[in-house]
Amino acid sequence: MKLKQLCILHAFILILSVSACKKYGYEVPDGYPDDSQNKAEGTIDTNMKLIDKSMYAKARVFPGLVDQSEPRVKDAQFTLDLNFTDQNAQNLRISVAPSPQYSTGYYAAPGELIKIVVPAGVDGLTVQIGAHTDNLAGKSPLLRDPVIYNRKQLVSGVNYIRNLYGGHIYILASFAYANPVTFTITGAVVSPDFILGQTTDADWVAKVKASQVPWLELRAKRVIFTIPRDKVMATFNSSEPFTNPTAVFTRWNDVFDLDYNAWMGLSDNAPDIRDRSPQSQWRGILDIQLTNGYGHNGFPFVGLNDSYWFASFTSLNSITTSSGQWGTYHEFGHNCQQGSVWSWSTLGETTNNLFSFKVANRIGANYNILHPAVSSGFPKALAYANAAGTKNFDTDAAMVTPDESPFMRMLPFVQIFEKYGYGAMTYLYTQARHADRLNTNDVTKHNFVYEKLSDYTQTDLSPFFGAWGILISDAVVAKVNAKYPLLKTPLWTYNPLNKTGGTGTIKYTTTVVSVSSSQSGDGTPEALVDGIVSSSSFWHSNYGTATSTNTLGFPINIVLGTGSPLPIQVKGVTFAQRQNNSGGYVKDVEIFTSNDNVNYVSAGTTTLPQNTAVYNFNFPGGVVSTKYVKVVIKNGVSTVYANLSECNLIKP
């Protein structure tokens, strides 16, 4: 008897356990995908009246509940165009690309079962409930639960899914369908979304006021923002009511069409898939807590749910003047960086901000108000670029200042854009997408930018890169130098904040790096390059004391520097014997060139005329790209000493 009762009790407990598993309809215990691939027991309960209220308290805090008075739809239909080109980050060579995530216009109330019917023959789709995909695991203290969205694969026929926190309902596609697909949905509520070109401003305002759905979407062809309804409602009685989404999102479409896609060289119908614009919209969302920082990039980009980020999405004044927009452009810019090809390691917080300047340039905004660190950082960067000496753009202390470094490092790019056109960025991005290989270190990325911008400007920009201390390889300089004339104007002096500088002619002053023999008190080595041919301006080799002969002898080496931090074009050497010479004429010389003052290559030999006339020796092989020129005096008329009035470089 007891054994029979025990068996009945066990059977009853087993029934309860299975019922509990079935009650809320999860194939995995917590309702989220299980990476272990373990198959959970139980099947979904299709009773649409059952509501799991276990997370109501947390859902009420975020993202919010849906009032029971809000109508739940039954057998409503929606149609999606799933014919897309998968423009992933790999073929665009950017950090993050939009993925095929389709808004349905429906919202799931917390804990309520959603039924979706998929047409026969349609597979490869996933349903997602919840727009807030930041996983806050490990954050403390938590303002919301770490994971508040879930996904489930869809099959042809009837599908059920619920989310304990609720959220927008999306369809995710693995591959494209040529024809639109029509779905049937039951149990959801209608989200008061705005769709550019389909919803009028007045109708949308009325829908927002009538709705009890806590979040809504603002949708345009290029971008979708997910925002809280309560913040929209709050603006209706403010100084800038958000009642004009058509104007605002027409502007946003322009930004992504013109200042992101087109600026990167992307278009909808480009024959090469690498040049095709993303077929899905970029997405931005507000959240009460983020995995990282005040805002971070990704798909979607996430900003803190405060007045600044809300206004950056919705304020016409903000997007029209570019004031207050820095954060939004900044994060979308991160998505678009090409760090695997040309945006090198110290530009992580720099090249993403160039999109802000593109927008500002197009709309005629004041650069001084884009960001406080622009107006303070640019003058410091100008001072650095115009300073003499050896530099390293990436490591010099002058370029590593708190808060301002990313903005200082923007200046060379903005100088190129302002003086040569913003199409330089389009060319750079396009060339990066079509490059044969990725670049794995900073120097190869420097070289890529130098070579491609020189191609775009049809000018050898090595002096510009030298002034900024952006290190580039001599072999690449020689390659570019052979194709294009050298930059003639000091572009690095241009100030975009007041549109001044960057004019005049670059002057490369030849310097005397070293002389192997020189007589103290009788002429100076500096006289060799002063451009003065006279009896009072000369160099004299060592001749020891009054009672001794030349103690150093021949050959005598004179090393000249071009005055440029990078190799530049040199045509030859100009000589002038000392004008009141008394027997110290120079005779045979050999001339060498080098980029490191260590390894030299002969550029030719010559014999100087034995008179005081100026003598120009042009290199027999033509113009040479070099940093140093060494003149080796093999002998002279006198075996005791030699002297010259001039030994200078001839530059094209």
Side-chain angles (χ1 to χ4, degrees):
M1 181 65 180
K2 289 183 179 179
L3 179 60
K4 181 178 180 182
Q5 289 175 335
L6 185 60
C7 290
I8 293 172
L9 178 61
H10 283 174
F12 181 66
I13 292 172
L14 181 61
I15 290 169
L16 284 179
S17 65
V18 173
S19 297
C21 197
K22 289 176 65 178
K23 179 180 179 182
Y24 301 125
Y26 288 128
E27 288 85 354
V28 291
D30 57 2
Y32 300 104
D34 182 0
D35 290 336
S36 72
Q37 303 300 309
N38 293 330
K39 187 173 181 180
E41 296 180 357
T43 57
I44 198 152
D45 192 327
T46 58
N47 186 346
M48 301 293 292
K49 295 181 179 180
L50 290 178
I51 301 175
D52 185 341
K53 300 181 180 180
S54 60
M55 291 296 177
Y56 261 27
K58 293 182 177 181
R60 180 178 285 108
V61 174
F62 192 85
L65 300 179
V66 177
D67 194 86
Q68 288 299 314
S69 64
E70 190 71 27
R72 273 60 171 172
V73 300
K74 182 177 181 181
D75 296 330
Q77 290 190 330
F78 63 92
T79 300
L80 299 178
D81 181 359
L82 304 179
N83 192 14
F84 64 92
T85 299
D86 186 14
Q87 279 301 75
N88 55 53
Q90 186 175 3
N91 59 38
L92 292 176
R93 290 184 172 170
I94 60 178
S95 300
V96 178
S99 61
Q101 175 177 329
Y102 294 89
S103 298
T104 65
Y106 291 99
Y107 193 96
E112 298 188 19
L113 192 62
I114 304 299
K115 174 184 173 183
I116 299 177
V117 180
V118 179
V122 175
D123 55 12
L125 302 179
T126 299
V127 59
Q128 173 180 312
I129 297 182
H132 298 89
T133 54
D134 256 9
N135 186 339
L136 304 182
K139 303 288 287 188
S140 181
L142 279 171
L143 302 183
R144 65 162 174 83
D145 272 1
V147 180
I148 60 172
Y149 77 101
N150 62 326
R151 291 174 179 165
K152 179 183 176 181
Q153 262 191 315
L154 293 173
V155 296
S156 296
V158 179
N159 301 263
Y160 295 92
I161 186 173
R162 76 171 91 226
N163 184 300
L164 298 182
Y165 308 88
H168 279 102
I169 301 171
Y170 303 100
I171 300 297
L172 314 181
S174 301
F175 44 81
Y177 283 88
N179 299 315
V181 178
T182 298
F183 302 83
T184 303
I185 188 167
T186 298
V189 296
V190 176
S191 175
D193 297 348
F194 171 82
I195 305 174
L196 184 64
Q198 297 183 30
T199 314
T200 67
D201 290 350
D203 286 347
W204 176 73
V205 170
K207 283 200 304 182
V208 171
K209 290 180 177 179
S211 178
Q212 298 298 316
V213 178
W215 289 80
L216 57 91
E217 291 194 330
L218 306 168
R219 293 190 254 160
K221 181 181 180 182
R222 300 299 185 192
V223 65
I224 295 176
F225 290 134
T226 306
I227 59 173
R229 174 182 167 274
D230 61 356
K231 277 189 165 52
V232 177
M233 292 290 291
T235 70
F236 291 161
N237 296 316
S238 69
S239 58
E240 188 180 359
F242 182 43
T243 56
N244 55 347
T246 297
V248 172
F249 276 80
T250 297
R251 294 280 188 169
W252 271 119
N253 244 14
D254 288 344
V255 166
F256 281 94
D257 264 337
L258 303 174
D259 306 316
Y260 284 83
N261 289 348
W263 201 34
M264 292 188 289
L266 304 175
S267 60
D268 287 345
N269 300 310
D272 192 318
I273 189 173
R274 292 172 293 182
D275 299 323
R276 211 167 294 166
S277 55
Q279 303 299 291
S280 300
Q281 294 103 325
W282 294 98
R283 288 181 177 269
I285 192 170
L286 303 181
D287 203 331
I288 60 170
Q289 191 171 13
L290 282 62
T291 55
N292 184 35
Y294 183 46
H296 68 75
N297 73 305
F299 185 76
F301 134 69
V302 187
L304 194 65
N305 186 21
D306 65 6
S307 58
Y308 169 81
W309 286 110
F310 178 80
S312 75
F313 286 1
T314 62
S315 168
L316 183 61
N317 178 64
S318 177
I319 196 171
T320 301
T321 63
S322 207
S323 173
Q325 276 300 328
W326 191 272
T328 312
Y329 297 152
H330 173 100
E331 301 301 349
F332 281 120
H334 269 311
N335 286 347
C336 294
Q337 284 176 298
Q338 290 183 316
S340 63
V341 184
W342 66 268
S343 184
W344 59 87
S345 62
T346 61
L347 301 180
E349 294 296 327
T350 294
T351 51
N352 59 314
N353 291 320
L354 297 176
F355 293 92
S356 295
F357 277 91
K358 173 59 172 67
V359 179
N361 175 265
R362 178 175 59 82
I363 68 177
N366 184 348
Y367 294 167
N368 290 278
I369 65 172
L370 291 180
H371 192 285
V374 171
S375 55
S376 64
F378 274 21
K380 293 179 181 179
L382 282 168
Y384 172 80
N386 284 278
T390 303
K391 304 174 192 176
N392 189 313
F393 179 86
D394 295 322
T395 62
D396 284 345
M399 292 295 287
V400 185
T401 59
D403 301 322
E404 291 178 330
S405 290
F407 303 90
M408 294 171 67
R409 291 193 173 109
M410 279 190 282
L411 185 53
F413 292 95
V414 177
Q415 287 175 328
I416 293 287
F417 299 155
E418 292 280 305
K419 300 299 283 186
Y420 285 99
Y422 278 72
M425 189 73 145
T426 309
Y427 185 80
L428 191 58
Y429 262 85
T430 304
Q431 290 295 307
R433 287 194 303 276
H434 292 264
D436 293 333
R437 59 178 174 79
L438 304 180
N439 292 317
T440 57
N441 61 69
D442 281 355
V443 172
T444 57
K445 293 174 185 179
H446 293 178
N447 289 339
F448 186 90
V449 174
Y450 158 62
E451 184 173 1
K452 299 309 176 184
L453 291 182
S454 293
D455 286 341
Y456 178 78
T457 61
Q458 298 287 286
T459 303
D460 178 2
L461 295 174
S462 59
F464 178 76
F465 279 72
W468 276 108
I470 302 173
L471 307 182
I472 52 181
S473 302
D474 291 339
V476 180
V477 172
K479 175 184 175 183
V480 172
N481 193 257
K483 294 192 292 183
Y484 307 118
L486 202 63
L487 178 70
K488 295 291 192 291
T489 58
L491 177 61
W492 57 88
T493 66
Y494 175 72
N495 185 351
L497 299 180
N498 57 21
K499 313 294 185 186
T500 62
T503 58
T505 303
I506 298 174
K507 298 186 183 301
Y508 300 109
T509 303
T510 305
T511 61
V512 179
V513 177
S514 64
V515 179
S516 64
S517 176
S518 186
Q519 181 61 45
S520 176
D522 195 356
T524 63
E526 289 71 30
L528 291 169
V529 294
D530 64 4
I532 300 172
V533 180
S534 74
S535 59
S536 60
S537 176
F538 64 93
W539 154 81
H540 203 299
S541 69
N542 174 270
Y543 51 74
T545 66
T547 58
S548 66
T549 58
N550 180 356
T551 57
L552 298 178
F554 292 99
I556 299 170
N557 296 332
I558 300 172
V559 177
L560 305 176
T562 62
S564 169
L566 294 170
I568 63 171
Q569 293 175 330
V570 176
K571 186 177 180 181
V573 180
T574 184
F575 296 95
Q577 305 275 15
R578 182 177 175 181
Q579 297 301 288
N580 59 346
N581 208 325
S582 56
Y585 282 157
V586 171
K587 289 184 65 180
D588 299 317
V589 300
E590 185 169 6
I591 299 162
F592 300 82
T593 62
S594 171
N595 286 327
D596 58 10
N597 198 19
V598 175
N599 301 293
Y600 277 90
V601 176
S602 178
T605 61
T606 189
T607 299
L608 272 60
Q610 304 300 291
N611 57 54
T612 58
V614 174
Y615 169 64
N616 290 328
F617 171 72
N618 293 324
F619 297 144
V623 172
V624 175
S625 179
T626 187
K627 289 171 65 176
Y628 302 95
V629 172
K630 179 166 64 175
V631 176
V632 179
I633 302 175
K634 296 181 175 181
N635 53 58
V637 173
S638 168
T639 59
V640 179
Y641 59 83
N643 46 41
L644 287 169
S645 177
E646 196 73 8
C647 179
N648 211 332
L649 300 181
I650 304 172
K651 301 169 185 175

Short mmCIF file of all heavy atoms in Angstrom, two decimals, residues 400-440:
data_model
loop_
_atom_site.label_atom_id
_atom_site.label_comp_id
_atom_site.label_asym_id
_atom_site.label_seq_id
_atom_site.Cartn_x
_atom_site.Cartn_y
_atom_site.Cartn_z
N VAL A 400 50.90 63.55 -27.19
CA VAL A 400 50.25 62.63 -26.25
C VAL A 400 49.81 63.43 -25.03
O VAL A 400 50.40 63.36 -23.96
CB VAL A 400 51.19 61.48 -25.84
CG1 VAL A 400 50.45 60.46 -24.97
CG2 VAL A 400 51.76 60.79 -27.06
N THR A 401 48.78 64.24 -25.23
CA THR A 401 48.27 65.06 -24.14
C THR A 401 46.89 64.57 -23.74
O THR A 401 46.11 64.14 -24.59
CB THR A 401 48.18 66.54 -24.58
OG1 THR A 401 47.31 66.63 -25.72
CG2 THR A 401 49.54 67.08 -24.96
N PRO A 402 46.57 64.62 -22.46
CA PRO A 402 45.26 64.13 -22.01
C PRO A 402 44.12 64.82 -22.74
O PRO A 402 44.13 66.04 -22.90
CB PRO A 402 45.26 64.47 -20.52
CG PRO A 402 46.70 64.54 -20.15
CD PRO A 402 47.41 65.10 -21.35
N ASP A 403 43.18 64.06 -23.20
CA ASP A 403 41.93 64.52 -23.81
C ASP A 403 42.10 65.14 -25.20
O ASP A 403 41.17 65.09 -26.01
CB ASP A 403 41.21 65.55 -22.91
CG ASP A 403 40.88 64.98 -21.55
OD1 ASP A 403 40.51 63.79 -21.50
OD2 ASP A 403 41.00 65.71 -20.56
N GLU A 404 43.25 65.73 -25.50
CA GLU A 404 43.38 66.46 -26.76
C GLU A 404 44.07 65.67 -27.86
O GLU A 404 43.95 66.02 -29.04
CB GLU A 404 44.14 67.77 -26.54
CG GLU A 404 43.36 68.78 -25.73
CD GLU A 404 44.13 70.06 -25.47
OE1 GLU A 404 45.38 69.99 -25.40
OE2 GLU A 404 43.50 71.12 -25.34
N SER A 405 44.80 64.61 -27.53
CA SER A 405 45.57 63.88 -28.54
C SER A 405 44.74 63.44 -29.74
O SER A 405 45.15 63.64 -30.89
CB SER A 405 46.24 62.66 -27.91
OG SER A 405 47.27 63.06 -27.04
N PRO A 406 43.56 62.82 -29.53
CA PRO A 406 42.78 62.39 -30.71
C PRO A 406 42.41 63.54 -31.63
O PRO A 406 42.35 63.37 -32.85
CB PRO A 406 41.53 61.76 -30.09
CG PRO A 406 41.93 61.36 -28.72
CD PRO A 406 42.89 62.42 -28.28
N PHE A 407 42.19 64.70 -31.05
CA PHE A 407 41.79 65.86 -31.84
C PHE A 407 43.00 66.49 -32.54
O PHE A 407 42.90 66.95 -33.67
CB PHE A 407 41.08 66.87 -30.94
CG PHE A 407 39.89 66.28 -30.25
CD1 PHE A 407 40.02 65.67 -29.01
CD2 PHE A 407 38.64 66.29 -30.85
CE1 PHE A 407 38.93 65.09 -28.38
CE2 PHE A 407 37.55 65.71 -30.23
CZ PHE A 407 37.70 65.11 -28.98
N MET A 408 44.15 66.49 -31.86
CA MET A 408 45.37 66.98 -32.48
C MET A 408 45.73 66.13 -33.69
O MET A 408 46.17 66.65 -34.72
CB MET A 408 46.50 66.99 -31.45
CG MET A 408 46.30 67.97 -30.31
SD MET A 408 47.53 67.79 -28.98
CE MET A 408 49.01 68.31 -29.83
N ARG A 409 45.54 64.81 -33.56
CA ARG A 409 45.92 63.92 -34.64
C ARG A 409 44.94 63.97 -35.82
O ARG A 409 45.20 63.41 -36.88
CB ARG A 409 46.04 62.49 -34.12
CG ARG A 409 47.23 62.30 -33.18
CD ARG A 409 47.53 60.84 -32.92
NE ARG A 409 48.75 60.70 -32.16
CZ ARG A 409 48.82 60.31 -30.88
NH1 ARG A 409 47.71 60.02 -30.24
NH2 ARG A 409 49.98 60.21 -30.27
N MET A 410 43.82 64.62 -35.64
CA MET A 410 42.89 64.81 -36.77
C MET A 410 43.39 65.85 -37.75
O MET A 410 43.04 65.82 -38.93
CB MET A 410 41.51 65.26 -36.25
CG MET A 410 40.64 64.16 -35.74
SD MET A 410 38.98 64.78 -35.43
CE MET A 410 39.24 65.62 -33.89
N LEU A 411 44.19 66.80 -37.25
CA LEU A 411 44.52 67.97 -38.06
C LEU A 411 45.17 67.64 -39.40
O LEU A 411 44.77 68.23 -40.42
CB LEU A 411 45.39 68.94 -37.26
CG LEU A 411 45.71 70.26 -37.95
CD1 LEU A 411 44.44 70.96 -38.43
CD2 LEU A 411 46.50 71.18 -37.03
N PRO A 412 46.16 66.74 -39.48
CA PRO A 412 46.73 66.50 -40.82
C PRO A 412 45.71 66.01 -41.84
O PRO A 412 45.77 66.39 -43.01
CB PRO A 412 47.83 65.44 -40.56
CG PRO A 412 47.57 64.91 -39.20
CD PRO A 412 46.88 65.99 -38.45
N PHE A 413 44.75 65.21 -41.40
CA PHE A 413 43.71 64.74 -42.32
C PHE A 413 42.80 65.90 -42.75
O PHE A 413 42.47 66.03 -43.93
CB PHE A 413 42.88 63.64 -41.66
CG PHE A 413 43.64 62.36 -41.42
CD1 PHE A 413 44.24 62.11 -40.20
CD2 PHE A 413 43.77 61.42 -42.43
CE1 PHE A 413 44.94 60.95 -39.98
CE2 PHE A 413 44.47 60.24 -42.22
CZ PHE A 413 45.07 60.01 -40.98
N VAL A 414 42.41 66.72 -41.79
CA VAL A 414 41.53 67.85 -42.11
C VAL A 414 42.26 68.83 -43.04
O VAL A 414 41.66 69.41 -43.94
CB VAL A 414 41.05 68.54 -40.82
CG1 VAL A 414 40.19 69.76 -41.15
CG2 VAL A 414 40.24 67.57 -39.96
N GLN A 415 43.56 69.01 -42.83
CA GLN A 415 44.32 69.90 -43.72
C GLN A 415 44.28 69.39 -45.16
O GLN A 415 44.09 70.18 -46.10
CB GLN A 415 45.78 69.99 -43.23
CG GLN A 415 45.94 70.81 -41.96
CD GLN A 415 47.36 70.78 -41.42
OE1 GLN A 415 48.07 69.78 -41.56
NE2 GLN A 415 47.79 71.86 -40.80
N ILE A 416 44.45 68.08 -45.34
CA ILE A 416 44.36 67.50 -46.69
C ILE A 416 42.97 67.72 -47.27
O ILE A 416 42.81 68.15 -48.43
CB ILE A 416 44.69 66.00 -46.66
CG1 ILE A 416 46.16 65.76 -46.30
CG2 ILE A 416 44.34 65.34 -48.00
CD1 ILE A 416 47.13 66.10 -47.38
N PHE A 417 41.93 67.44 -46.48
CA PHE A 417 40.56 67.58 -46.97
C PHE A 417 40.26 69.02 -47.37
O PHE A 417 39.64 69.29 -48.41
CB PHE A 417 39.56 67.15 -45.90
CG PHE A 417 39.67 65.72 -45.46
CD1 PHE A 417 39.23 65.33 -44.20
CD2 PHE A 417 40.23 64.75 -46.29
CE1 PHE A 417 39.33 64.02 -43.79
CE2 PHE A 417 40.35 63.43 -45.89
CZ PHE A 417 39.89 63.07 -44.63
N GLU A 418 40.68 69.94 -46.52
CA GLU A 418 40.34 71.35 -46.76
C GLU A 418 41.09 71.93 -47.96
O GLU A 418 40.56 72.77 -48.67
CB GLU A 418 40.66 72.17 -45.50
CG GLU A 418 39.77 71.86 -44.31
CD GLU A 418 38.43 72.56 -44.39
OE1 GLU A 418 38.41 73.80 -44.53
OE2 GLU A 418 37.40 71.87 -44.33
N LYS A 419 42.30 71.48 -48.19
CA LYS A 419 43.11 72.06 -49.27
C LYS A 419 43.00 71.28 -50.58
O LYS A 419 43.17 71.86 -51.65
CB LYS A 419 44.58 72.15 -48.84
CG LYS A 419 44.81 73.00 -47.60
CD LYS A 419 44.37 74.45 -47.78
CE LYS A 419 45.36 75.25 -48.59
NZ LYS A 419 45.00 76.68 -48.64
N TYR A 420 42.71 69.98 -50.50
CA TYR A 420 42.66 69.17 -51.71
C TYR A 420 41.28 68.59 -51.99
O TYR A 420 41.06 67.98 -53.04
CB TYR A 420 43.68 68.03 -51.65
CG TYR A 420 45.10 68.48 -51.86
CD1 TYR A 420 45.95 68.67 -50.79
CD2 TYR A 420 45.60 68.71 -53.14
CE1 TYR A 420 47.27 69.08 -50.98
CE2 TYR A 420 46.90 69.11 -53.35
CZ TYR A 420 47.74 69.30 -52.27
OH TYR A 420 49.04 69.71 -52.46
N GLY A 421 40.36 68.75 -51.06
CA GLY A 421 39.01 68.25 -51.27
C GLY A 421 38.70 67.05 -50.40
O GLY A 421 39.56 66.20 -50.15
N TYR A 422 37.45 66.96 -49.95
CA TYR A 422 37.03 65.86 -49.08
C TYR A 422 36.93 64.53 -49.83
O TYR A 422 36.79 63.48 -49.21
CB TYR A 422 35.71 66.22 -48.41
CG TYR A 422 35.90 67.09 -47.19
CD1 TYR A 422 36.28 68.43 -47.31
CD2 TYR A 422 35.75 66.57 -45.92
CE1 TYR A 422 36.49 69.22 -46.19
CE2 TYR A 422 35.95 67.35 -44.79
CZ TYR A 422 36.32 68.68 -44.93
OH TYR A 422 36.54 69.46 -43.83
N GLY A 423 37.05 64.57 -51.14
CA GLY A 423 37.10 63.34 -51.92
C GLY A 423 38.34 62.52 -51.62
O GLY A 423 38.41 61.34 -52.00
N ALA A 424 39.32 63.11 -50.95
CA ALA A 424 40.52 62.36 -50.57
C ALA A 424 40.15 61.17 -49.69
O ALA A 424 40.74 60.09 -49.80
CB ALA A 424 41.51 63.27 -49.84
N MET A 425 39.13 61.36 -48.82
CA MET A 425 38.70 60.26 -47.94
C MET A 425 38.00 59.17 -48.76
O MET A 425 38.20 57.98 -48.51
CB MET A 425 37.76 60.80 -46.87
CG MET A 425 37.42 59.81 -45.77
SD MET A 425 38.78 59.53 -44.66
CE MET A 425 37.88 59.30 -43.11
N THR A 426 37.22 59.57 -49.72
CA THR A 426 36.54 58.61 -50.59
C THR A 426 37.56 57.74 -51.30
O THR A 426 37.42 56.51 -51.38
CB THR A 426 35.66 59.33 -51.62
OG1 THR A 426 34.81 60.27 -50.94
CG2 THR A 426 34.81 58.36 -52.40
N TYR A 427 38.59 58.36 -51.82
CA TYR A 427 39.65 57.63 -52.51
C TYR A 427 40.36 56.67 -51.56
O TYR A 427 40.62 55.50 -51.90
CB TYR A 427 40.65 58.61 -53.13
CG TYR A 427 41.71 57.96 -53.98
CD1 TYR A 427 41.43 57.57 -55.29
CD2 TYR A 427 42.97 57.71 -53.47
CE1 TYR A 427 42.39 56.97 -56.08
CE2 TYR A 427 43.95 57.10 -54.25
CZ TYR A 427 43.65 56.72 -55.55
OH TYR A 427 44.61 56.12 -56.33
N LEU A 428 40.65 57.15 -50.36
CA LEU A 428 41.36 56.33 -49.37
C LEU A 428 40.54 55.10 -49.00
O LEU A 428 41.05 53.98 -48.97
CB LEU A 428 41.65 57.18 -48.13
CG LEU A 428 42.60 56.62 -47.08
CD1 LEU A 428 43.96 56.30 -47.68
CD2 LEU A 428 42.75 57.62 -45.93
N TYR A 429 39.24 55.30 -48.72
CA TYR A 429 38.37 54.19 -48.35
C TYR A 429 38.22 53.18 -49.50
O TYR A 429 38.26 51.96 -49.29
CB TYR A 429 36.99 54.70 -47.95
CG TYR A 429 36.82 54.82 -46.46
CD1 TYR A 429 37.24 55.96 -45.78
CD2 TYR A 429 36.26 53.80 -45.70
CE1 TYR A 429 37.09 56.09 -44.41
CE2 TYR A 429 36.11 53.91 -44.33
CZ TYR A 429 36.52 55.06 -43.69
OH TYR A 429 36.38 55.17 -42.34
N THR A 430 38.05 53.69 -50.70
CA THR A 430 37.86 52.81 -51.85
C THR A 430 39.11 51.99 -52.12
O THR A 430 39.05 50.78 -52.37
CB THR A 430 37.47 53.63 -53.10
OG1 THR A 430 36.29 54.39 -52.81
CG2 THR A 430 37.19 52.72 -54.29
N GLN A 431 40.26 52.65 -52.06
CA GLN A 431 41.51 51.93 -52.26
C GLN A 431 41.73 50.88 -51.18
O GLN A 431 42.24 49.79 -51.45
CB GLN A 431 42.69 52.92 -52.27
CG GLN A 431 42.74 53.82 -53.49
CD GLN A 431 42.99 53.04 -54.77
OE1 GLN A 431 43.95 52.27 -54.85
NE2 GLN A 431 42.12 53.20 -55.76
N ALA A 432 41.31 51.17 -49.96
CA ALA A 432 41.46 50.21 -48.86
C ALA A 432 40.59 48.97 -49.09
O ALA A 432 41.01 47.85 -48.82
CB ALA A 432 41.12 50.88 -47.53
N ARG A 433 39.36 49.19 -49.58
CA ARG A 433 38.48 48.04 -49.84
C ARG A 433 39.03 47.14 -50.95
O ARG A 433 38.79 45.94 -50.96
CB ARG A 433 37.07 48.52 -50.22
CG ARG A 433 36.27 49.07 -49.08
CD ARG A 433 34.81 49.19 -49.46
NE ARG A 433 34.59 50.02 -50.62
CZ ARG A 433 34.50 51.34 -50.63
NH1 ARG A 433 34.63 52.00 -49.49
NH2 ARG A 433 34.28 52.01 -51.74
N HIS A 434 39.75 47.75 -51.88
CA HIS A 434 40.25 47.00 -53.03
C HIS A 434 41.72 46.60 -52.89
O HIS A 434 42.29 46.04 -53.83
CB HIS A 434 40.05 47.81 -54.31
CG HIS A 434 38.61 47.99 -54.70
ND1 HIS A 434 37.99 47.17 -55.63
CD2 HIS A 434 37.66 48.85 -54.26
CE1 HIS A 434 36.73 47.55 -55.76
NE2 HIS A 434 36.50 48.56 -54.94
N ALA A 435 42.32 46.91 -51.75
CA ALA A 435 43.73 46.58 -51.55
C ALA A 435 43.93 45.07 -51.59
O ALA A 435 43.08 44.29 -51.15
CB ALA A 435 44.21 47.14 -50.21
N ASP A 436 45.06 44.65 -52.13
CA ASP A 436 45.35 43.22 -52.27
C ASP A 436 45.53 42.53 -50.93
O ASP A 436 45.32 41.32 -50.81
CB ASP A 436 46.60 43.02 -53.13
CG ASP A 436 46.39 43.43 -54.57
OD1 ASP A 436 45.22 43.39 -55.03
OD2 ASP A 436 47.37 43.80 -55.24
N ARG A 437 45.95 43.28 -49.93
CA ARG A 437 46.21 42.66 -48.63
C ARG A 437 45.89 43.65 -47.52
O ARG A 437 45.77 44.86 -47.75
CB ARG A 437 47.68 42.24 -48.52
CG ARG A 437 48.67 43.40 -48.70
CD ARG A 437 50.11 42.98 -48.54
NE ARG A 437 51.04 44.05 -48.85
CZ ARG A 437 51.34 45.06 -48.03
NH1 ARG A 437 50.76 45.13 -46.85
NH2 ARG A 437 52.21 45.99 -48.38
N LEU A 438 45.78 43.11 -46.32
CA LEU A 438 45.61 43.94 -45.13
C LEU A 438 46.98 44.37 -44.64
O LEU A 438 48.00 43.76 -44.98
CB LEU A 438 44.86 43.17 -44.04
CG LEU A 438 43.50 42.59 -44.43
CD1 LEU A 438 42.88 41.85 -43.25
CD2 LEU A 438 42.56 43.69 -44.92
N ASN A 439 47.03 45.41 -43.84
CA ASN A 439 48.29 45.88 -43.26
C ASN A 439 48.32 45.57 -41.78
O ASN A 439 47.37 45.89 -41.06
CB ASN A 439 48.46 47.38 -43.50
CG ASN A 439 48.66 47.71 -44.97
OD1 ASN A 439 49.40 47.04 -45.67
ND2 ASN A 439 47.97 48.73 -45.46
N THR A 440 49.39 44.96 -41.34
CA THR A 440 49.43 44.44 -39.98
C THR A 440 50.23 45.28 -38.99
O THR A 440 50.27 44.96 -37.81
CB THR A 440 50.01 43.01 -39.98
OG1 THR A 440 51.32 43.04 -40.59
CG2 THR A 440 49.12 42.06 -40.77
#
